[in-house]
Amino acid sequence: MSASWRSQPNLLLVCLLLSATGAVSEQFQLEPLNATVLHGSAVRFNATVQGAWTIMTWTVGGLLVTTVTDIGDNISISEQFSARFCSSGDTSCVEFTIQNVTRSEGGGVTCFVMGKYGSKTAQLYVQESGTVNIMGGNVTVVQDEQVEFQCVSSKWFPIPTVSWTWNSEAVNSSLYNTTSMADRDFFNCTSVLKFQAVRDTQIECRATVETLASPQSSSVYLVVVPKPTDWTVLIAVVVSIGSFALLVLLIIGIIFCYKRRKEKKTTYEDEMRKVRTQSQISTVHGGGQNQGQENTGYVPEGQTSVAPTDLTDSGFFPANGSTFSEMPDVVNSTHTGNAYITVDKPAFRKHRHVTIV
């Protein structure tokens, strides 16, 4: 029981200290506690103190850069750092500014108020914007051809966010791939965009970091020309149709020749049949004897003269008994054979060779 009483004064002291610390903490504020700025820009921190104080100091990256007194004196190591009062009365506000921020100022920014207030630290993050360039410039391709663009972003910190647009519309991220690589204190990124060319397009590659008001960009133009006419299909169709037509004509020609040959053969057979029929009819009507025409030039053996009227038409002998002029016409017959006609006159002997068909 006595031990319990002896511990109570210590517990009371701890409670008093915690209350005092909380009160002091409420009397001294630093804002913002986290700041991200772009390289070359300015950043500002505000320290608010309720109550009396005499000296305030600002430290950047462990280096004391500015000292401020409650009467308004401001001592800084360079023009890059400055401080000014932003309020008056019981609450004091001091605005601390860093101009032309570089990455060397990144890290902790500490404000210390002498006396019961103590110190508070904020974190400063500095980003750097690099360059963006689409390699190769403008491109001309044939319609439906696969096209590729490569965008290189150099000297960025931290790793930038790279995106693409075509005709001011965002490109689906599945169409491009981005890789990054550290280069000392910076990062370089390469993004490759691939797609099928359809129409003329303005291609733009964008890179940005959180603190950039607008992204850095590079743009080129894609010119798409129509595909040349593909004659392969047309030629194949024409050849196919031509081959088919030629085959049809060939078949028609073969059929026509076959029919004509068959008709010709039939006609020949009919003619031969007709000739045989006529021959048989002639044989029946003639009693089996050869039929023919009368040979007006025939002179029986032993006869030396003929009547003028007998040879006037043929001209074999003139009617007045003059010299021999010409022979009579050939005598037609249904049988073939040769006959010799001999005419004897005192002055000459005349032979006539007659072919009987």
Side-chain angles (χ1 to χ4, degrees):
M1 191 71 177
S2 59
S4 176
W5 281 103
R6 282 195 301 268
S7 63
Q8 287 182 358
N10 294 331
L11 181 59
L12 182 60
L13 179 60
V14 172
C15 292
L16 291 174
L17 289 174
L18 291 175
S19 299
T21 302
V24 172
S25 177
E26 292 177 356
Q27 292 174 358
F28 175 34
Q29 299 292 330
L30 177 62
E31 294 177 346
L33 291 178
N34 293 285
T36 303
V37 296
L38 189 64
H39 175 89
S41 61
V43 61
R44 294 173 176 83
F45 296 92
N46 292 332
T48 303
V49 180
Q50 292 181 355
W53 59 276
T54 56
I55 296 176
M56 178 185 293
T57 61
W58 292 87
T59 303
V60 177
L63 177 64
L64 179 62
V65 295
T66 299
T67 301
V68 181
T69 65
D70 59 347
I71 61 175
D73 293 334
N74 183 356
I75 302 173
S76 300
I77 62 172
S78 70
E79 294 182 353
Q80 184 182 8
F81 308 98
S82 63
R84 70 180 185 88
F85 282 94
C86 54
S87 65
S88 61
D90 295 336
T91 301
S92 299
C93 176
V94 177
E95 183 183 75
F96 174 67
T97 303
I98 305 175
Q99 301 287 345
N100 194 22
V101 178
T102 64
R103 289 176 61 191
S104 61
E105 284 85 54
V109 177
T110 302
C111 176
F112 173 76
V113 179
M114 189 174 294
K116 60 182 180 181
Y117 301 103
S119 65
K120 290 186 178 296
T121 301
Q123 293 297 320
L124 175 61
Y125 302 95
V126 181
Q127 299 180 344
E128 292 200 41
S129 171
T131 60
V132 180
N133 185 36
I134 297 179
M135 309 302 292
N138 298 333
V139 177
T140 300
V141 296
V142 178
Q143 189 177 18
D144 294 334
E145 183 178 339
Q146 189 77 8
V147 64
E148 176 179 311
F149 292 94
Q150 180 175 317
C151 177
V152 177
S153 305
S154 305
K155 301 294 183 181
W156 288 78
F157 184 87
I159 299 174
T161 300
V162 179
S163 61
W164 294 82
T165 65
W166 49 26
N167 294 334
S168 301
E169 296 181 359
V171 177
N172 192 311
S173 59
S174 62
L175 296 178
Y176 61 88
N177 181 42
T178 304
T179 57
S180 60
M181 181 180 296
D183 181 13
R184 295 183 180 179
D185 295 333
F186 300 94
F187 291 95
N188 298 332
C189 295
T190 301
S191 184
V192 178
L193 171 66
K194 296 180 180 180
F195 63 94
Q196 191 174 24
V198 177
R199 61 181 182 277
D200 293 350
T201 309
Q202 181 184 9
I203 306 297
E204 186 176 43
C205 176
R206 297 178 177 181
T208 187
V209 289
E210 177 187 351
T211 55
L212 268 179
S214 59
Q216 299 281 6
S217 64
S218 174
S219 62
V220 295
Y221 287 92
L222 171 65
V223 179
V224 179
V225 297
K227 290 191 299 184
T229 304
D230 187 3
W231 297 101
T232 305
V233 176
L234 181 60
I235 292 174
V237 172
V238 171
V239 170
S240 300
I241 295 176
S243 300
F244 179 75
L246 184 62
L247 180 61
V248 170
L249 291 176
L250 182 61
I251 294 173
I252 293 174
I254 292 174
I255 294 173
F256 177 77
C257 292
Y258 174 77
K259 286 185 175 181
R260 186 168 183 180
R261 184 175 180 181
K262 188 175 181 180
E263 291 175 356
K264 186 175 181 180
K265 184 176 180 180
T266 303
T267 302
Y268 175 75
E269 291 176 353
D270 293 342
E271 291 294 331
M272 292 299 297
R273 189 179 297 109
K274 190 180 298 183
V275 169
R276 286 196 296 270
T277 302
Q278 291 178 354
S279 175
Q280 293 174 358
I281 294 173
S282 299
T283 303
V284 170
H285 289 136
Q289 297 181 356
N290 295 336
Q291 301 295 321
Q293 296 179 357
E294 180 182 1
N295 188 353
T296 58
Y298 173 73
V299 178
E301 186 176 356
Q303 183 177 348
T304 59
S305 64
V306 295
T309 58
D310 296 334
L311 300 178
T312 300
D313 294 335
S314 63
F316 185 74
F317 287 111
N320 56 5
S322 62
T323 62
F324 178 82
S325 64
E326 62 181 18
M327 298 177 67
D329 295 334
V330 176
V331 176
N332 294 325
S333 175
T334 57
H335 294 278
T336 302
N338 293 328
Y340 292 91
I341 300 175
T342 304
V343 179
D344 293 329
K345 294 190 71 175
F348 65 89
R349 180 182 293 273
K350 182 68 175 182
H351 293 276
R352 182 188 180 198
H353 184 192
V354 180
T355 300
I356 302 173
V357 179

